Amino acid sequence: FIFFFQAEDGIRDFCLSRGLGDVYKRQADIKLGEVKNSISETYEWGYNQIGSDNQDAYIRKLDINGAEVWKVYYDKSSADSRTVQCTIDANDGLWAAFVVDGGSYDTTYIKTYQIEVEPFKGSLFTSYGSGGGPHVSIIAKINPLTGKIQKATFLPARMQEGNIDAPKINKNWRSATNTFKVQEIKVVEGNVVLKAVSAYHPMDPTSAKNNYVFWKEAGASDADCKCWRIELELPPTLDRITRMRKLTASELEVK
């Protein structure tokens, strides 16, 4: 489900409901999908529902016989997280798209928990940004041997331009950071290609190293979702956007 929240001047932000996990207290892995590599090893992904109000992203690897090789929970902080998509590249490398609803200084936060050395260093956006509540994406290269994050970047939408860690400039906003949710991920000729939905206001391809710039060619949001449907491409270094275009409703269904 998608709920809308008034921002200002009639612009509405959206964030995603947690579904039945908000109603029923439970602790269970919720599988959202799976993919196989070239030798029929399987990667499953989803989230673990903790009680009534917390979710932790996970990926699980199975060998060709279905036996578990590893299972990694990427976040055990108070922030909600989910693994929403995974894909395999031409070299059997594993890539994942996560969503999180806030930042955290906890050592079990997704940015600092199941990682190799400084995976966010030099990336396009190195943090969630100021605020909390809206869902933003994290794109990550995963070590297929261990499940740990090797390289990653945050991908947010923002209510204001500039440094994404700057405080919000309008007291009526819930958060300076806004929702940006990747729904599809694939690797094409080495580059990471994403399809995503963005609340106000999507990033421009010229955005660089935490300096957020509004998309100059965004135009009006789509009337059916009050959002922007976007395809964007990043190099494997995840330090810039190399291509970006607006999608139609027939090209991407908002989930």
Side-chain angles (χ1 to χ4, degrees):
F1 301 100
I2 296 178
F3 297 116
F4 293 91
F5 297 88
Q6 195 72 29
E8 74 165 358
D9 297 333
I11 299 167
R12 294 191 290 177
D13 167 35
F14 64 91
C15 67
L16 304 179
S17 78
R18 296 170 186 163
L20 293 177
D22 285 340
V23 181
Y24 302 108
K25 290 186 177 182
R26 59 187 177 182
Q27 182 168 341
D29 288 337
I30 310 300
K31 179 182 170 182
L32 297 179
E34 67 175 49
V35 67
K36 293 183 182 292
N37 63 17
S38 66
I39 60 171
S40 295
E41 294 173 321
T42 303
Y43 296 96
E44 300 176 345
W45 67 84
Y47 63 95
N48 184 254
Q49 185 69 49
I50 308 296
S52 63
D53 60 358
N54 191 253
Q55 299 166 354
D56 296 337
Y58 81 85
I59 300 175
R60 180 181 182 223
K61 182 178 182 179
L62 307 174
D63 66 20
I64 60 174
N65 297 311
E68 183 174 292
V69 178
W70 51 255
K71 185 176 190 179
V72 175
Y73 293 98
Y74 291 91
D75 174 65
K76 289 186 176 293
S77 72
S78 59
D80 279 357
S81 63
R82 292 184 181 187
T83 313
V84 294
Q85 283 289 324
C86 289
T87 193
I88 305 294
D89 64 26
N91 298 313
D92 272 345
L94 177 63
W95 294 80
F98 303 97
V99 293
V100 295
D101 72 349
S104 176
Y105 292 107
D106 196 309
T107 56
T108 60
Y109 182 54
I110 190 169
K111 181 179 176 179
T112 54
Y113 190 35
Q114 298 287 4
I115 62 169
E116 296 188 355
V117 180
E118 297 185 313
F120 289 87
K121 184 176 182 180
S123 297
L124 180 59
F125 296 109
T126 60
S127 73
Y128 176 91
S130 58
H135 290 71
V136 310
S137 293
I138 296 174
I139 303 305
K141 179 74 167 65
I142 307 296
N143 188 329
L145 299 179
T146 64
K148 292 195 173 184
I149 295 174
Q150 295 178 302
K151 186 63 182 174
T153 186
F154 286 84
L155 292 177
R158 294 283 292 169
M159 299 290 288
Q160 63 194 39
E161 295 183 295
N163 188 324
I164 69 168
D165 291 317
K168 62 182 180 180
I169 59 177
N170 188 321
K171 66 179 181 180
N172 295 319
W173 296 344
R174 294 188 309 125
S175 170
T177 294
N178 220 346
T179 293
F180 187 95
K181 186 187 177 190
V182 170
Q183 293 191 183
E184 297 181 19
I185 178 173
K186 60 182 178 180
V187 180
V188 180
E189 296 181 349
N191 293 319
V192 183
V193 179
L194 310 169
K195 289 185 178 181
V197 291
S198 177
Y200 183 87
H201 194 285
M203 70 190 82
D204 192 82
T206 61
S207 298
K209 298 292 186 294
N210 292 337
N211 181 33
Y212 196 93
V213 180
F214 289 162
W215 191 16
K216 300 175 182 64
E217 300 178 10
S221 61
D222 295 336
D224 65 318
C225 64
K226 296 295 187 287
C227 67
W228 286 262
R229 294 171 168 89
I230 299 169
E231 181 179 73
L232 63 159
E233 180 180 277
L234 298 89
T237 50
L238 303 179
D239 59 351
R240 64 191 185 279
I241 299 170
T242 54
R243 182 177 61 83
M244 190 166 170
R245 71 181 181 95
K246 193 172 181 179
L247 298 173
T248 64
S250 63
E251 291 178 294
L252 183 63
E253 177 187 359
V254 176
K255 300 176 182 178

